[in-house]
Amino acid sequence: RGVQAHRLCPLCGAGSSLEPEERSMEPPAVPEEAEEEEEAVPLSVAPGPVGCEPFGYVGIEAVLDQMKIKTMKTGFEFNIMVVGQSGLGKSTMVNTLFKSKVSRKSSQPGQEERIPKTVQLQSITHVIEEKGVKMKLTVTDTPGFGDQINNENCWDPIIKYINEQYERYLREEILITRKRKIPDTRVHGCVYFVPPTGHWLRPLDLEFMRRLSKIVNVVPVIAKADTLTLEERAEFKQRIQEDLKTHAISVYPQEDFDQDPEDRALNDRIREKIPFAVVGADQEHQVNGKRVLGRKTKWGIIEVENPAHCEFPLLRDLLIRSHLQDLKDITHNVHYESYRVRRLNESNRPG
């Protein structure tokens, strides 16, 4: 006892002392500095398990109720533009979408103001309320688009109007003391009415959608689809899809903006149906004891909200029930952002 045996390490040759007679079974002592370091680590930095469940009710989901109450108090804005030739039922379609007379102002009760056939944009704003939720709806109509003999550059007033709304929002946004809530007059969606010719898209239609798809969400529809048979309608839709793909025209919903697999799967089903074959009607008829929106013909009543008759329910769900907020988000984060970057680069350019 008291005599230590020495031996050389086989790797480095350093000596190490051993006490084979008295070996402690206790774990090796931790240095005091190491203990201080372990105690200094806060609990908040320790990585927690992903998706951990709380032990009890916290109330995180109440934020949804808070957002709903705030939205019901302040309301929200939605701006839509309809483009197409005269007589394609643009005003009737908008009235059918919102089930109210929102497309044209009436100079006298029960009479509609006659709109001249000129490419002069007219915006009409209404406040629609449903179950306590208020929506400030602005409908912009282009009554004479494509009606002239010479339609060269007939899209310029429409492009100018859309950019003017971006410019108005940008001027309010860059102010030093800006408003708490900037009035939003930007066009969130543009519904383009394709004539039911049953043939290929006209060069005017292709050029318009090519230009405007870069600055606004374009949703093409086949107007007055009841003038086509089901076979003609299916063939016409296929030709339009081929034209859009050939000319690299990206209509809403755009594939580049799908955020997750669920959105992509939903939007893929929508893209297969575009352009929607729609029929508009703002009059009710009696069908099997029920009042339905539809158009009365010799052969029966075309029910607007019946998926077997037309694809108006798909258009309504896209614009209002499923993608309304997405239309606003893409307008703000993509189209308006690209306009904002371009304008700020122009203002910072020397000279």
Side-chain angles (χ1 to χ4, degrees), residues 81-91 118-119 140-147 158 190-195 202 204-205 208 221 223:
M81 173 183 284
V82 288
V83 180
Q85 289 182 343
S86 300
L88 291 181
K90 301 186 299 296
S91 302
T118 58
V119 188
T140 304
D141 195 0
T142 57
F145 174 78
D147 289 343
I158 301 174
C190 176
V191 182
Y192 187 82
F193 286 72
V194 178
R202 302 172 302 170
L204 176 65
D205 301 326
F208 174 84
V221 299

Side-chain angles (χ1 to χ4, degrees), residues 270-335:
I270 295 174
R271 283 187 281 263
E272 292 176 358
K273 299 290 185 179
I274 285 181
F276 299 121
V278 298
V279 177
D282 50 8
Q283 295 182 356
E284 291 185 343
H285 299 276
Q286 194 81 13
V287 177
N288 296 330
K290 296 181 180 179
R291 302 290 294 179
V292 297
L293 286 173
R295 295 185 65 241
K296 189 174 183 179
T297 64
K298 290 183 178 180
W299 304 274
I301 296 176
I302 302 172
E303 300 178 27
V304 171
E305 296 180 331
N306 189 342
H309 293 186
C310 71
E311 295 175 340
F312 169 79
L314 300 178
L315 176 65
R316 179 197 56 202
D317 293 348
L318 176 69
L319 294 179
I320 301 175
R321 300 187 180 180
S322 62
H323 286 67
L324 188 148
Q325 187 60 44
D326 187 62
L327 284 165
K328 299 181 66 174
D329 291 342
I330 292 180
T331 299
H332 180 76
N333 298 326
V334 179
H335 298 304

Side-chain angles (χ1 to χ4, degrees), residues 196-214:
T197 60
H199 304 293
W200 304 93
L201 284 175
R202 302 172 302 170
L204 176 65
D205 301 326
L206 290 171
E207 186 64 20
F208 174 84
M209 287 190 282
R210 185 186 68 82
R211 288 175 180 266
L212 263 74
S213 61
K214 300 177 182 178

Side-chain angles (χ1 to χ4, degrees), residues 100-230:
S100 57
K101 301 287 185 179
V102 297
S103 61
R104 297 183 182 181
K105 288 183 178 179
S106 297
S107 55
Q108 296 179 1
Q111 296 182 2
E112 289 186 348
E113 180 183 0
R114 189 167 186 82
I115 297 180
K117 294 183 179 181
T118 58
V119 188
Q120 181 179 1
L121 279 70
Q122 298 185 358
S123 296
I124 302 173
T125 301
H126 297 267
V127 177
I128 302 176
E129 184 174 355
E130 184 181 29
K131 295 184 179 180
V133 180
K134 295 180 180 179
M135 180 178 69
K136 184 179 179 182
L137 173 68
T138 300
V139 179
T140 304
D141 195 0
T142 57
F145 174 78
D147 289 343
Q148 290 76 23
I149 297 176
N150 183 9
N151 290 309
E152 185 178 3
N153 298 329
C154 62
W155 45 75
D156 285 347
I158 301 174
I159 295 177
K160 181 181 178 182
Y161 176 83
I162 295 174
N163 288 331
E164 283 177 352
Q165 309 316 309
Y166 289 150
E167 182 69 22
R168 181 182 299 180
Y169 193 91
L170 177 61
R171 289 178 181 176
E172 292 286 344
E173 192 179 44
I174 63 178
L175 291 176
I176 298 177
T177 56
R178 58 186 180 183
K179 300 177 181 178
R180 189 173 181 180
K181 183 180 180 182
I182 302 176
D184 191 3
T185 60
R186 299 169 297 181
V187 178
H188 301 130
C190 176
V191 182
Y192 187 82
F193 286 72
V194 178
T197 60
H199 304 293
W200 304 93
L201 284 175
R202 302 172 302 170
L204 176 65
D205 301 326
L206 290 171
E207 186 64 20
F208 174 84
M209 287 190 282
R210 185 186 68 82
R211 288 175 180 266
L212 263 74
S213 61
K214 300 177 182 178
I215 62 174
V216 73
N217 299 313
V218 178
V219 181
V221 299
I222 301 175
K224 294 189 174 181
D226 54 327
T227 60
L228 300 173
T229 64
L230 296 179

